[in-house]
Amino acid sequence: MKTQLKKGVLDLCVLAVLDRGDSYAYELVNQLAQGMQISEGTIYPLMRRLQAEAWVETYLVESSAGPSRKYYRLTAAGRAELDAMRREWRDFVSEVDLVLSPAPQTEEALS
Amino acid sequence: MKTQLKKGVLDLCVLAVLDRGDSYAYELVNQLAQGMQISEGTIYPLMRRLQAEAWVETYLVESSAGPSRKYYRLTAAGRAELDAMRREWRDFVSEVDLVLSPAPQTEEALS
DNA sequence: CGCCATACCTTGCAATGCAAGGTATCGTGC
DNA sequence: GCACGATACCTTGCATTGCAAGGTATGGCG
């Protein structure tokens, strides 16, 4: 999957996944990696940004099969942002599809 | 419109517009700027990239209202690339929409 | 001649995805 | 006990690309 296309969409995807239930970075990578391809080097800085924006908050949970997991939970602000991003995404897709669709030829263009 | 979302889509949009007829950078900006917001600082490096990939070729046309225009014409390779990019775009949108759609809850998740 | 629109272009910055590499914890097998 | 793989965290440096800001040149108009 083309790297550039993902820019600006991964935030949305992560928030959407978190909206279905709390999770931690390592798990998020594995979930999203199935269809989207995303690596650890991407997710950790990303989660820091989301937290810096106060869209998520964290809590530690000890694991019986490795180090403690840092779980992320959507905040109210995060949920609001998710809604806004969903709208932006829809508008963006519409806009691009409009450009991609064959333009209705004008009368003079048909000569 | 969010800057990051455009990354990787502008190539596609420009190729799609050129597929409807030759054009020059200054005009492309004005056309795309209506819905997409794109500036000159973006288009000129972009056109150079497209040309470097041999997806477009150029020819000069003198204008009666300013300096000569550098027209861009899609090459056969450019048209093939456009088709490939259209498919990538569709797949990408499907993938993101899949993540955004509420996941079908599994039996155990419903406990 | 000055000014605006047209039309070209470059430089430097910001954002972000990723590969590569590093650290620590836990269970399993020897 | 100890090596090893899986789990889980993290950082550094690079590549790509959109954009603001600024620069140059042409042609028509007052």
Side-chain angles (χ1 to χ4, degrees), chain B residues 47-67:
Chain B
M47 298 316 294
R48 280 187 168 274
R49 288 198 298 268
L50 297 185
Q51 191 174 8
E53 300 281 357
W55 294 335
V56 298
E57 52 194 12
T58 69
Y59 56 98
L60 287 178
V61 174
E62 293 192 25
S63 165
S64 62

Side-chain angles (χ1 to χ4, degrees), chain A residues 9-102:
Chain A
V9 195
L10 291 184
D11 304 36
L12 169 58
C13 290
V14 167
L15 290 181
V17 170
L18 287 182
D19 192 40
R20 299 205 284 272
D22 298 358
S23 186
Y24 52 101
Y26 190 83
E27 191 182 47
L28 285 168
V29 169
N30 291 330
Q31 284 182 16
L32 289 174
Q34 317 216 326
M36 298 266 312
Q37 237 100 28
I38 181 178
S39 65
E40 291 196 24
T42 300
I43 200 77
Y44 288 104
L46 196 164
M47 297 315 293
R48 281 187 168 274
R49 287 199 296 269
L50 296 185
Q51 190 174 10
E53 299 281 355
W55 293 335
V56 298
E57 52 194 11
T58 68
Y59 55 100
L60 286 178
V61 174
E62 294 191 23
S63 165
S64 64
S68 290
R69 297 166 175 167
K70 188 188 275 186
Y71 272 82
Y72 292 89
R73 173 172 45 218
L74 262 191
T75 63
R79 206 161 276 111
E81 182 64 22
L82 172 56
D83 287 345
M85 283 186 177
R86 280 186 193 274
R87 280 191 297 273
E88 274 169 29
W89 167 248
R90 268 196 289 271
D91 291 348
F92 174 67
V93 172
S94 298
E95 206 60 62
V96 173
D97 282 342
L98 190 67
V99 174
L100 291 190
S101 69

